[in-house]
Amino acid sequence: MRTAPPSPPGAKSGPRASRGSGPLPRGAPRVPGPREQRRVRRGAPNRRRFASQPPTPRRSDARLPCPPWYPCCFALPVAWMAQPPPDPRFVLRGTSAAVHALRFSCGGEEPAVPVLFSGSENGFIHVWNLKTHRVDAALDGHGRKSVYWLETMDGKDRLLSQGRDQRICLWDLAEGRTSVTDSVFTENVGFCRSSLLKVAQGRWLMAMAAKALEEVQVLELPSKTSVCTLKPEMGAKLGMPMCLKLWQGSCGSQPLLLAGYEDGSVLLWNLSTGKVLSQLVCHQEPVMSLDFDSEKAKGISGSSEKVLSIWSLNEQQNLQVQKTHRLVNAGISDITIRPDKKILATAGWDHRIRIFGWKKLKPLAVLDYHTATVHSVSFSDHKSPSDRLLAAGAKDHRISIWSIYTQT
Amino acid sequence: MAAFDTPQAAFGALRPACVRLTEAQTVENVARLEARLAAVGAGALQELQEYVLFPLRFALKAPGPRRERVVQRVLRCLRAVLLGTRIADPRLLQELLSELCACLPAPRGAPAPAEELQLAAVRALLALLRSARGDAVAALYRPSCLPLLGFAVSLLLGLAERERAKQVRLSALECLQVLLLQGECREQRWLREERAQRCGDLFASFLPGVSLALSRIIAGDVKQGHGITVAAIRLFYQVVGLVMADEQLARVPKQKEKPKETPSVEQSRIAELIVHRGPEWSKSTSEKLSLLLHKIVEISSVHSHWRVRLELVELVHHLLSNCRLSLVDSFTHLLKALVGLVNDENSEVQSRCNEVLQGIAEQQVIAQNRALADVLSENLHSLATALPRLMNSQDDAGKFSTLSLLLGYLKLLGPKINIVLNSASHLHRLSKALMQVLELDVTDVKIVEDRHWGCVGGYDPSGSMQHGVQKGRSQRKYFRFFTEEKIFQLLQQVCRVLGYYGNIYLLVDHFMGLYSESAVYRKQAAMVLNELIAGAAGMGVDVLQEREVSLSMDDLRGSVTSILEEYTDQTNWYLVTSIDTEEISREKQTVPRSGLAALPGAACSSILPSPDPHVTTRTMNSNVWQLCIQLEGVGCFAAVLGREFRLLLLSALYPVLEKAGDKTLLISETAQGTLVDICEACGYDSVQSLINENSDYLVNGISLNLRQVAHQPHAAQVLSTMLRHSDASLLPLVEDVIQDVLSALDQSYSDQASTFLGVLHSLMAALVQWFGPSCSKEHQQRQAAEGQSGTLSQIQQETTSQEMERFFLDYIKQKQIAEGNLSDSSDEEADKVPPLAKPELSNSDAEGETPLPSHAQLAKDVMERCIHLLSDKNLRVRLKVLDVLELCVTVLHPHGNHLLPMAHRVWPALVTRLISDDPLAVLRAFKVLCTLAQKCGDFLRQRFSKDVLPKLTSSLLSQAAASARAGPVYNHTLAFKLQLAVLQGLGSLCEKLDMGETDLNKVADACLVYLSAKQPMKLQEAAQSVFHHLMRVDPDSTWLFLTEVCCPHPYEPPHTSLQPVKLRGMGRQRDEFTDNILLLLEELQQQESAGAQRAPPP
């Protein structure tokens, strides 16, 4: 079952060797394609600086000023405040490459085994059995190119995966099958994660970065018909989309798309009109990740700089910066709000996972385990809250599993 | 062969004899009749029965004083007749019965007649009863005959009880049996039932007398012989079984029937005698019987003869199957007897007892009978209460029987055990009793003292697992209250039966409660829990009946998981088992540290039981045992769950491996046994494959535990155990975590160094073992290559002209080297690398680093840490580091390009160790130096001659004076060892490093003093060895040097034009050096001549 061959000598030095060399954003190794080169020539100062000046994380003083461990947003006895941050519940090893994407599927009823999908830089998608903590299957469908987005469609039998081979694959995993049943050729050279939204039973919308550099395309699944293509106005100079989030307000309302761009702005798109509803410049650097809480109409974004930005959407569909939070170390590669909307987790280039209270962005904990950039964080969807987990995948080839619901 | 077959003929033959007998009752006449009778056929005799009987009866009833001999003869004859015929007439039967009874002695008074007479009478009676036909018998058992029967019974009882002659008593008992249980099996079932009912009614009136008399017989003197006791017991249970039979009692109407017509006086008197077996009667009777039974059981269960005990089993069986309801009160005693006899020393008793128990269990007597279950649980309760006291006071045999009783109760209760367990007081009593009985003896000091140094001391290349692989059976335990193994086995069975039938959740919960309640109970509770689980799985449990529902795997796994969790909980797993000075000092350092690191008031510092300096040997012993029991438990759980246990390996394997690396021998052995158990249960071929296939779990555990200072030593232990038990295929799997170890070490050089050095040592030792052979092969190749290019040492074997040429060439080369032209030589070295490797090399040069195989990379990483640690302030640490360093050098050896820079970096620190450190460290450092020299060769030459050699030689010289003066005790001093080591190593060092002439001279100078005869012998030998090496490097100068000191031969110049040879040593007086030098010169001579012979002629 183990798929942990030693990394080929020379191809990859160990996790230690990578320390200090500065993490690249997901999707590395980056071999700039022709489009990218053109882009650079056209002169996007941000982009170049970003590529040439990787932030150098320092381990020594990276703790938050106030890192009391704080499990949930409940009132806590004082004694808890003093507890040190926990250790991971478990660490999954054996991807033998940096981990870029994670997705839990644990909602099934009993005999169904909870699983975690992980996508790694060598193009494999590993299906981890969370009972045995071992790989049940390794899916190879992206030509050994980095897999950077994973999403399930109704349970763990159908999986979407996006890779640097410019394809989005739909996997059929039912009854032990491991075949790609469908795929979409995105023709996009970036590493913008797509976003999936279930709009009705058996009908999904998927937003993905399109062939043209600044465009985002929205497809309807499973029919793969294009719903719309979202093109910024001429001369907007937003750069490439970096992260996407499809969402829908209360039932039946229009699905909307939030997109973070290379120039640090976040745009809210109306899918039916294909127009920008609101634009907000919240970062000086590319927006690396964002997440949005449709209940509170509030979102958060992180970039390659030292700032987390919280913005809200008012009734007039205008995005406004609500608050910014300064970090000690620059670079956030992923942000996820927990499904119960109480806390959120960030994956930092400083090798750390940070947990914040979602309401006031109060720093709750710094989870320190990894020895390289953390690429992805994901919360599990277990039925019982006490089983729920947080997973983080990092460049050091490890996936750490944390239990932060039930800390006593 | 009957002579008279027809009645007529028989009559003719018998008549005269009968007539004579009637006329005169003499012995002769009776004898004659008897003789005639013998000749009469059975059919004919039947016809003439009454006729023949008449004179005999007449003789018995004859008036006048009886003549015993005649009566006796008559009785014999009567018996003969009765044996041959059947009696059909009830009247005749009754008359004969009363006549025969008259011959028996009256119960009281009246002097007893002779034994023979009594015997004859009883036998005749027996024959009479046997010869009676069914209807006649039926007539006998009527209320009207009650007085007669009563008379007969009382007479026979009197005989059986009071008579001295064994034969008589036995016959009387037999007779009674026939009388009371007449015709049990001759008729149809319903008839028999009806008769039995009637007999029951009849005999109920005799029951008190019969049972009392019989119990007196049973309780009688042992000397009466077992036969009587057996017969009495049998009779007792048959009578009681008949009268008290449930079937009969059930049919008895509640009220006494009123006779329809007014009976006559006589009849009414008889009716008064008849007992009505109503509920009241049966109740009072059973109470009385219970007393008797208690007495009988008590006496016969310890009877020395096994047949008596066997009969007792039959008694229990008979009564339990017939009088289940009526004798409920007595069941306590009966079951106790039965259960107690299960483990009888006689196998027949044992097997019958088992059969009976089996039968009882199979009939579900107890399961269906609440009353019985109550009785049993009551017994159990009182036994459990008394158990601790009994365990204290009884001897081993007594304990054994007490415990078999306990086991028997549990087995009998079977599925009904839960009734008992559900009662809190029962469970409490039982568990407390088990806790006390199972108390271990923990005074053995050896347990703590037996140490396992495998992981600290030398690496055992054969793998310590290999000899531990034999099935890990549990360690022999020593208990406070008993010594015999079979008692422990009984207790095991008790627990297993409990687990088999009982509600496993309830039991596990209860004993877990005890486990955590007090340290006093912890070991016992763990032991009980282990056995409970084994029993619940039906493993090695010996029961009477199958349980109704066997436990599902899920339930079992649930229980096992919770127990495992408790066992491996930090407070129960990390117990103080040794006072290691090193460890203590370390802990003392770390405890406050961990407290600081873990933020104020952190919970994590309380995780470890604080190392209390006052732990007694006793507590440690107890801790050792507790761990062993828990480890055995893990093995047992694995065996129970089989392959299912694989799921639990995630949490169980790491702790077990941790203990496999424990320094206490007992624990590590037990843990290794557990590993073997797990292997077997989960279907792994070997411990190695178990470790390899689950290395991900282990690695995870190690890496997480490394994050906590307090657990680092354990994590390190696990890793070294893994390494010890596995092979090279493990390396890719653990590389990751080794990096973790190194980084953990980086963060705590000062206090955790010695912990991690242990791991590093096992790591390097493993690497040397795994990759050692390949190392040496490559090394040989390299040496061969060097040999081709021609090194100095080879030239001796070549021809003289070439030799001369070579000599000068080499001289120049040597000189260059001596001038420190090192860069040249290293260039040459590089040139000598075989051409094949060249492109690769240049390639790697471009990258700046040769891609190293992972093990070598690890060795390099480790070596880097060693450099830092070489100057640790703790001597122990320094010594360990030197050991590790030596191994690193061995592993890195084939990769010269990496070894040399490392050697360069190590050098300064190593030199400091060599020059100014504790002698112990110098000794080790010198060893490292030797290894390093072997691997690095001339790379070290100049450094050595500059940094180390002067110091070495001067210390050798200064020490020489001391050792020359010293006595034999000196051989045990450190200084001596150091001298010896240096002298032993110096020679090869010189050779390996290819030292220059001046250095060689220095060495020779320093060693010369040790050639003195005044030096200890060993040092002399070592010094000689130095010179041997020197001879090989440069024979000529050595020769010169030696002859300077002492020259035995004068050397004549071959030609007068040459100057005469003058050597300083010529013509010296014999002194302390002479012997050794002469020896050396001789050897040199031999070496030279051998070299010359081997060399081909020019």
Side-chain angles (χ1 to χ4, degrees):
Chain A
M1 285 307 288
R2 284 188 54 86
T3 54
S7 53
K12 194 85 201 93
S13 43
R16 279 184 59 78
S18 68
R19 184 182 300 170
S21 67
L24 282 169
R26 70 180 80 89
R30 290 175 52 84
V31 182
R35 281 163 195 285
E36 241 172 318
Q37 282 170 356
R38 204 182 67 217
R39 173 96 186 88
V40 171
R41 242 185 289 120
R42 229 167 48 191
N46 281 347
R47 173 102 203 100
R48 197 192 279 136
R49 204 166 75 226
F50 166 53
S52 60
Q53 281 188 334
T56 45
R58 286 173 50 79
R59 286 180 61 87
S60 53
D61 54 352
R63 261 173 213 277
L64 282 176
C66 168
W69 171 240
Y70 194 96
C72 294
C73 286
F74 307 124
L76 293 167
V78 179
W80 282 16
M81 306 286 283
Q83 277 197 12
D87 281 333
R89 223 351 226 286
F90 205 89
V91 179
L92 305 175
R93 286 156 220 258
T95 57
S96 58
V99 179
H100 285 288
L102 292 170
R103 174 64 49 194
F104 279 102
S105 178
C106 310
E109 291 297 331
E110 233 314 298
V113 178
V115 296
L116 171 69
F117 299 102
S118 76
S120 44
E121 194 165 296
N122 57 7
F124 278 94
I125 300 163
H126 291 96
V127 185
W128 296 91
N129 179 333
L130 289 181
K131 277 216 167 117
T132 60
H133 299 221
R134 286 185 175 154
V135 176
D136 270 353
L139 317 174
D140 179 14
H142 287 280
R144 308 294 159 99
K145 298 279 180 57
S146 177
V147 175
Y148 58 88
W149 179 67
L150 291 169
E151 185 65 80
T152 51
M153 294 169 79
D154 279 347
K156 62 177 178 180
D157 290 342
R158 283 206 288 170
L159 177 73
L160 281 171
S161 68
Q162 184 176 23
R164 291 277 290 170
D165 62 346
Q166 308 182 12
R167 288 204 310 157
I168 297 176
C169 295
L170 174 62
W171 296 84
D172 176 16
L173 302 177
E175 293 155 2
R177 288 190 291 271
T178 53
S179 52
V180 178
T181 51
D182 204 352
S183 68
V184 179
F185 188 57
T186 62
E187 296 182 72
N188 177 276
V189 291
F191 40 84
C192 171
R193 288 172 176 172
S194 304
S195 176
L196 186 78
L197 177 70
K198 184 174 180 177
V199 283
Q201 188 60 40
R203 206 169 74 86
W204 288 269
L205 287 180
M206 181 174 75
M208 61 183 199
K211 183 181 177 186
L213 270 180
E214 298 190 339
E215 286 176 11
V216 175
Q217 196 175 16
V218 180
L219 296 184
E220 189 184 305
L221 292 181
S223 62
K224 295 203 283 181
T225 47
S226 174
V227 174
C228 58
T229 305
L230 307 173
K231 225 176 285 182
E233 287 168 34
M234 288 300 287
K237 294 206 172 168
L238 294 171
M240 293 199 297
M242 302 294 289
C243 48
L244 302 169
K245 172 80 181 175
L246 271 174
W247 62 278
Q248 199 170 14
S250 54
C251 255
S253 62
Q254 273 294 321
L256 299 169
L257 175 73
L258 277 164
Y261 287 86
E262 207 176 346
D263 72 340
S265 56
V266 173
L267 268 66
L268 180 68
W269 291 90
N270 184 334
L271 295 189
S272 47
T273 59
K275 293 276 182 272
V276 180
L277 288 175
S278 173
Q279 178 173 3
L280 178 70
V281 180
C282 46
H283 294 284
Q284 304 303 310
E285 301 279 339
V287 182
M288 297 304 297
S289 178
L290 63 82
D291 202 356
F292 187 75
D293 171 9
S294 57
E295 289 166 25
K296 296 195 182 73
K298 198 168 83 162
I300 180 164
S301 58
S303 74
S304 51
E305 54 185 6
K306 290 186 180 180
V307 171
L308 285 177
S309 177
I310 294 98
W311 24 266
S312 62
L313 188 66
N314 62 11
E315 281 83 32
Q316 288 78 44
Q317 305 280 29
N318 273 328
L319 290 169
Q320 294 167 327
V321 173
Q322 206 178 45
K323 186 182 170 187
T324 56
H325 180 87
R326 282 203 70 77
L327 296 169
V328 180
N329 297 314
I332 292 294
S333 48
D334 198 8
I335 293 183
T336 308
I337 302 173
R338 199 164 73 180
D340 65 4
K341 315 280 194 264
K342 284 189 171 152
I343 58 173
L344 69 97
T346 66
W349 292 1
D350 60 353
H351 313 176
R352 290 187 167 82
I353 306 150
R354 280 158 214 274
I355 310 288
F356 297 92
W358 175 222
K359 210 169 160 191
K360 296 178 181 164
L361 215 67
K362 180 175 179 179
L364 300 181
V366 178
L367 306 182
D368 184 10
Y369 174 77
H370 289 284
T371 52
T373 302
V374 184
H375 286 313
S376 172
V377 284
S378 175
F379 285 100
S380 79
D381 52 350
H382 281 93
K383 283 251 163 65
S384 133
S386 62
D387 292 340
R388 286 179 198 157
L389 300 168
L390 165 69
K395 198 180 172 184
D396 60 6
H397 304 190
R398 301 180 192 181
I399 303 166
S400 55
I401 309 277
W402 309 75
S403 173
I404 55 167
Y405 282 75
T406 54
Q407 281 293 324
T408 48
Chain B
M1 187 62 211
F4 312 100
D5 279 337
T6 58
Q8 288 77 15
F11 182 70
L14 288 176
R15 189 168 170 259
C18 287
V19 172
R20 296 272 294 267
L21 182 59
T22 319
E23 283 163 0
Q25 292 87 26
T26 59
V27 177
E28 293 78 34
N29 290 344
V30 182
R32 183 176 299 129
L33 178 60
E34 212 176 347
R36 291 287 167 87
L37 278 174
V40 176
L45 189 60
Q46 181 68 50
E47 295 282 314
L48 298 172
Q49 187 195 43
E50 281 198 59
Y51 181 79
V52 177
L53 283 179
F54 176 78
L56 293 171
R57 287 171 65 189
F58 182 75
L60 285 182
K61 285 191 289 192
R66 288 198 178 171
R67 284 159 302 165
E68 287 195 353
R69 284 193 57 212
V70 177
V71 174
Q72 189 189 338
R73 202 61 201 235
V74 168
L75 287 172
R76 245 176 73 182
C77 189
L78 191 62
R79 176 167 174 251
V81 175
L82 291 172
L83 282 177
T85 58
R86 307 292 307 272
I87 290 171
D89 181 11
R91 272 191 82 77
L92 181 63
L93 179 64
Q94 284 170 28
E95 279 169 19
L96 272 173
L97 186 60
S98 62
E99 281 158 19
L100 284 174
C101 284
C103 296
L104 290 173
R108 269 169 221 89
E115 280 174 13
E116 287 80 14
L117 180 64
Q118 290 180 19
L119 188 61
V122 173
R123 281 191 171 161
L125 197 54
L126 195 57
L128 171 72
L129 291 171
R130 289 225 167 111
S131 70
R133 272 184 198 278
D135 2 342
V137 173
L140 184 63
Y141 295 121
R142 280 184 197 287
S144 56
C145 295
L146 195 61
L148 176 60
L149 280 173
F151 180 55
V153 166
S154 65
L155 282 178
L156 286 169
L157 276 178
L159 265 189
E161 197 184 339
R162 278 185 289 275
E163 190 48 56
R164 266 199 301 272
K166 201 169 157 187
Q167 204 59 42
V168 180
R169 301 178 71 180
L170 273 177
S171 304
L173 284 172
E174 198 182 350
C175 199
L176 263 176
Q177 193 181 358
V178 176
L179 181 64
L180 293 174
L181 304 157
Q182 183 62 264
E184 272 291 274
C185 46
R186 275 191 230 151
E187 286 149 57
Q188 307 267 308
R189 196 186 136 75
W190 64 272
L191 260 178
R192 194 167 73 228
E193 269 179 17
E194 195 193 313
R195 167 102 67 82
Q197 181 82 23
R198 207 139 23 87
C199 292
D201 284 339
L202 218 54
F203 297 146
S205 23
F206 306 151
L207 189 64
V210 172
S211 53
L212 269 173
L214 286 175
S215 65
R216 275 199 297 273
I217 295 173
I218 294 167
D221 195 355
V222 188
K223 274 180 275 179
Q224 69 187 352
H226 70 270
I228 291 169
T229 319
V230 169
I233 293 176
R234 188 177 300 149
L235 187 56
F236 182 90
Y237 71 70
Q238 282 172 343
V239 171
V240 172
L242 176 71
V243 176
M244 301 298 288
D246 291 337
E247 290 177 353
Q248 297 188 20
L249 291 179
R251 278 193 296 244
V252 169
K254 280 264 158 57
Q255 296 299 316
K256 198 168 179 173
E257 280 173 46
K258 290 274 187 271
K260 279 174 190 136
E261 69 267 35
T262 40
S264 64
V265 179
E266 195 187 355
Q267 268 179 336
S268 66
R269 279 183 61 192
I270 287 172
E272 268 171 32
L273 287 178
I274 289 183
V275 188
H276 176 68
R277 292 189 284 168
E280 278 169 35
W281 175 85
S282 67
K283 194 160 172 266
S284 70
T285 313
S286 81
E287 269 167 26
K288 286 165 199 153
L289 278 176
S290 149
L291 289 176
L292 290 182
L293 278 169
H294 180 44
K295 206 165 92 187
I296 291 172
V297 163
E298 228 167 52
I299 288 165
S300 26
S301 61
V302 294
H303 199 279
S304 56
H305 203 283
W306 63 271
R307 281 194 182 280
V308 175
R309 299 197 298 270
L310 185 62
E311 206 54 43
L312 182 66
V313 177
E314 295 296 341
L315 174 135
V316 176
H317 174 57
H318 190 86
L319 293 185
L320 279 184
S321 47
N322 287 324
C323 315
R324 209 172 293 160
L325 300 171
S326 51
L327 288 181
V328 159
D329 303 346
S330 321
F331 277 10
T332 318
H333 314 302
L334 296 180
L335 287 176
K336 193 172 166 185
L338 196 59
V339 165
L341 287 175
V342 165
N343 292 304
D344 196 88
E345 57 205 24
N346 185 290
S347 61
E348 211 164 310
V349 178
Q350 224 179 67
S351 63
R352 177 66 190 147
C353 206
N354 265 323
E355 258 171 55
V356 171
L357 279 175
Q358 195 91 48
I360 293 173
E362 265 165 20
Q363 290 163 24
Q364 308 231 304
V365 176
I366 295 172
Q368 285 161 11
N369 192 336
R370 187 62 199 253
L372 253 183
D374 283 348
V375 168
L376 278 175
S377 65
E378 207 43 55
N379 280 8
L380 195 61
H381 187 256
S382 56
L383 182 62
T385 315
L387 202 57
R389 179 175 52 79
L390 291 176
M391 282 292 132
N392 250 336
S393 56
Q394 280 177 321
D395 60 347
D396 268 13
K399 285 169 191 165
F400 185 75
S401 64
T402 312
L403 287 173
S404 19
L405 200 58
L406 178 67
L407 178 59
Y409 286 148
L410 293 177
K411 280 184 178 177
L412 267 183
L413 273 171
K416 288 272 169 175
I417 269 182
N418 283 324
I419 299 177
V420 181
L421 298 182
N422 283 335
S423 138
S425 90
H426 274 85
L427 185 56
H428 180 77
R429 283 278 170 209
L430 188 61
S431 55
K432 279 287 159 63
L434 283 175
M435 292 300 104
Q436 293 189 18
V437 173
L438 279 171
E439 193 175 331
L440 282 170
D441 183 12
V442 289
T443 46
D444 191 3
V445 183
K446 251 195 283 177
I447 294 167
V448 176
E449 281 177 349
D450 271 350
R451 310 298 268 153
H452 172 67
W453 294 111
C455 51
V456 186
Y459 181 79
D460 180 7
S462 68
S464 53
M465 206 57 197
Q466 259 55 48
H467 44 80
V469 152
Q470 62 265 44
K471 180 103 173 82
R473 272 294 39 102
S474 59
Q475 301 282 349
R476 175 106 164 75
K477 299 182 189 65
Y478 299 92
F479 295 91
R480 242 185 86 185
F481 291 117
F482 57 91
T483 49
E484 278 197 57
E485 186 69 19
K486 65 177 184 178
I487 294 185
F488 177 58
Q489 284 165 1
L490 264 184
L491 283 167
Q492 258 183 331
Q493 274 297 319
V494 166
C495 300
R496 287 187 182 178
V497 169
L498 269 180
Y500 186 78
Y501 290 120
N503 178 346
I504 193 72
Y505 284 114
L506 175 72
L507 285 168
V508 166
D509 193 52
H510 181 79
F511 283 99
M512 290 279 263
L514 285 176
Y515 179 88
S516 44
E517 185 182 308
S518 144
V520 181
Y521 295 142
R522 196 157 293 158
K523 293 184 290 298
Q524 299 94 304
M527 234 184 296
V528 172
L529 281 170
N530 297 348
E531 299 299 336
L532 280 179
I533 293 294
M539 237 178 51
V541 62
D542 177 26
V543 287
L544 296 169
Q545 66 192 104
E546 291 287 307
R547 53 188 157 183
E548 287 136 8
V549 263
S550 71
L551 212 57
S552 79
M553 208 41 147
D554 279 343
D555 290 345
L556 205 53
R557 197 175 48 225
S559 303
V560 165
T561 313
S562 65
I563 299 175
L564 258 184
E565 242 166 54
E566 190 69 27
Y567 278 0
T568 53
D569 188 78
Q570 283 160 346
T571 46
N572 299 324
W573 199 252
Y574 300 118
L575 302 169
V576 183
T577 56
S578 64
I579 309 176
D580 202 328
T581 45
E582 190 186 337
E583 256 169 53
I584 288 283
S585 64
R586 196 171 64 218
E587 309 249 336
K588 270 186 184 154
Q589 282 172 357
T590 57
V591 164
R593 197 165 272 278
S594 69
L596 282 178
L599 296 172
C604 104
S605 63
S606 65
I607 284 167
L608 266 194
S610 61
D612 180 7
H614 306 298
V615 254
T616 59
T617 317
R618 207 185 160 79
T619 8
M620 288 195 295
N621 247 331
S622 146
N623 287 342
V624 168
W625 274 119
Q626 192 192 326
L627 286 174
C628 287
I629 292 166
Q630 288 173 182
L631 282 167
E632 279 167 15
V634 176
C636 164
F637 301 156
V640 162
L641 290 182
R643 281 185 178 255
E644 289 272 314
F645 195 74
R646 284 192 180 205
L647 281 178
L648 296 179
L649 283 180
L650 181 57
S651 53
L653 191 57
Y654 179 85
V656 173
L657 224 58
E658 207 170 74
K659 293 299 167 198
D662 200 282
K663 282 180 193 161
T664 309
L665 189 64
L666 195 65
I667 295 179
S668 66
E669 273 182 358
T670 314
Q672 286 176 8
T674 305
L675 282 179
V676 176
D677 286 346
I678 293 176
C679 272
E680 247 170 50
C682 299
Y684 292 104
D685 301 333
S686 62
V687 174
Q688 189 183 320
S689 70
L690 171 74
I691 291 176
N692 279 5
E693 284 181 37
N694 293 293
S695 60
D696 51 346
Y697 293 164
L698 293 169
V699 162
N700 181 61
I702 294 170
S703 118
L704 292 185
N705 276 305
L706 278 176
R707 290 161 52 81
Q708 288 179 11
V709 180
H711 289 308
Q712 279 175 355
H714 305 300
Q717 238 168 27
V718 173
L719 185 56
S720 36
T721 317
M722 279 175 83
L723 291 168
R724 249 203 321 281
H725 291 317
S726 199
D727 64 1
S729 56
L730 181 70
L731 191 62
L733 307 176
V734 295
E735 244 172 27
D736 184 42
V737 83
I738 291 172
Q739 292 301 340
D740 282 355
V741 170
L742 291 178
S743 66
L745 174 63
D746 288 345
Q747 286 173 4
S748 56
Y749 269 117
S750 49
D751 37 76
Q752 290 288 307
S754 77
T755 313
F756 288 117
L757 277 172
V759 175
L760 295 184
H761 188 271
S762 17
L763 170 67
M764 295 320 298
L767 289 182
V768 167
Q769 204 207 353
W770 297 341
F771 301 98
S774 71
C775 289
S776 59
K777 209 190 290 168
E778 283 172 52
H779 183 207
Q780 279 160 8
Q781 281 170 356
R782 206 183 94 166
Q783 268 192 337
E786 275 177 10
Q788 275 178 354
S789 62
T791 48
L792 287 171
S793 56
Q794 249 62 43
I795 53 169
Q796 261 70 24
Q797 279 131 39
E798 296 179 17
T799 52
T800 37
S801 59
Q802 282 166 326
E803 186 186 335
M804 291 300 276
E805 193 185 338
R806 277 276 175 198
F807 178 79
F808 282 108
L809 282 176
D810 286 328
Y811 177 71
I812 293 163
K813 200 170 166 187
Q814 285 259 28
K815 206 169 171 189
Q816 276 178 347
I817 293 166
E819 283 160 5
N821 211 345
L822 264 177
S823 59
D824 274 359
S825 68
S826 66
D827 278 353
E828 276 172 45
E829 195 68 11
D831 287 343
K832 280 173 199 165
V833 174
L836 247 177
K838 250 186 174 170
E840 205 181 336
L841 260 181
S842 56
N843 197 3
S844 67
D845 279 347
E847 278 178 36
E849 222 178 52
T850 329
L852 264 182
S854 59
H855 66 270
Q857 182 61 46
L858 278 178
K860 199 176 157 190
D861 290 345
V862 171
M863 200 156 163
E864 211 149 316
R865 271 63 182 194
C866 288
I867 296 170
H868 299 296
L869 287 169
L870 264 178
S871 46
D872 195 275
K873 55 184 180 297
N874 186 341
L875 175 64
R876 273 167 176 275
V877 172
R878 290 201 302 267
L879 293 179
K880 265 189 186 170
V881 172
L882 286 169
D883 281 344
V884 176
L885 191 62
E886 195 180 342
L887 292 168
C888 286
V889 172
T890 318
V891 175
L892 260 185
H893 165 238
H895 313 278
N897 286 354
H898 294 271
L899 178 60
L900 296 185
M902 289 313 287
H904 171 74
R905 291 180 52 197
V906 168
W907 186 255
L910 189 63
V911 168
T912 323
R913 299 282 77 72
L914 274 169
I915 290 173
S916 50
D917 202 340
D918 189 276
L920 269 174
V922 174
L923 203 59
R924 297 274 176 104
F926 190 73
K927 271 189 194 155
V928 176
L929 180 64
C930 291
T931 322
L932 201 59
Q934 226 167 30
K935 313 296 181 190
C936 300
D938 46 10
F939 179 72
L940 289 179
R941 186 189 307 136
Q942 199 196 0
R943 296 153 193 271
F944 178 70
S945 67
K946 197 173 103 219
D947 298 335
V948 184
L949 193 60
K951 192 80 188 169
L952 277 185
T953 49
S954 70
S955 87
L956 275 180
L957 284 172
S958 63
Q959 279 293 314
S963 62
R965 263 184 279 115
V969 192
Y970 187 70
N971 283 10
H972 300 286
T973 59
L974 199 55
F976 171 77
K977 282 179 189 151
L978 190 59
Q979 275 173 314
L980 187 63
V982 170
L983 282 175
Q984 279 171 344
L986 201 53
S988 63
L989 206 57
C990 289
E991 199 178 342
K992 291 275 154 47
L993 294 183
D994 207 1
M995 304 285 280
E997 202 176 336
T998 45
D999 290 332
L1000 289 182
N1001 277 337
K1002 263 189 225 166
V1003 171
D1005 277 335
C1007 293
L1008 183 63
V1009 285
Y1010 288 94
L1011 286 179
S1012 157
K1014 288 176 189 165
Q1015 293 289 344
M1017 203 55 212
K1018 278 199 172 168
L1019 292 185
Q1020 290 182 43
E1021 280 166 12
Q1024 282 174 16
S1025 80
V1026 175
F1027 280 98
H1028 288 149
H1029 284 288
L1030 291 181
M1031 280 181 219
R1032 245 173 281 157
V1033 180
D1034 192 352
D1036 297 342
S1037 62
T1038 313
W1039 177 82
L1040 189 63
F1041 180 84
L1042 288 174
T1043 45
E1044 291 276 295
V1045 184
C1046 168
C1047 180
H1049 312 292
Y1051 290 95
E1052 295 288 330
H1055 194 267
T1056 46
S1057 62
L1058 293 172
Q1059 283 201 347
V1061 181
K1062 279 224 168 158
L1063 293 166
R1064 229 185 308 158
M1066 279 178 170
R1068 276 223 191 157
Q1069 287 291 308
R1070 185 180 169 81
D1071 61 8
E1072 53 197 294
F1073 299 108
T1074 315
D1075 284 346
N1076 281 323
I1077 288 178
L1078 286 182
L1079 196 73
L1080 285 172
L1081 281 175
E1082 203 172 305
E1083 279 168 19
L1084 187 60
Q1085 190 68 44
Q1086 278 172 4
Q1087 189 187 326
E1088 288 291 284
S1089 59
Q1093 274 171 9
R1094 235 179 296 138

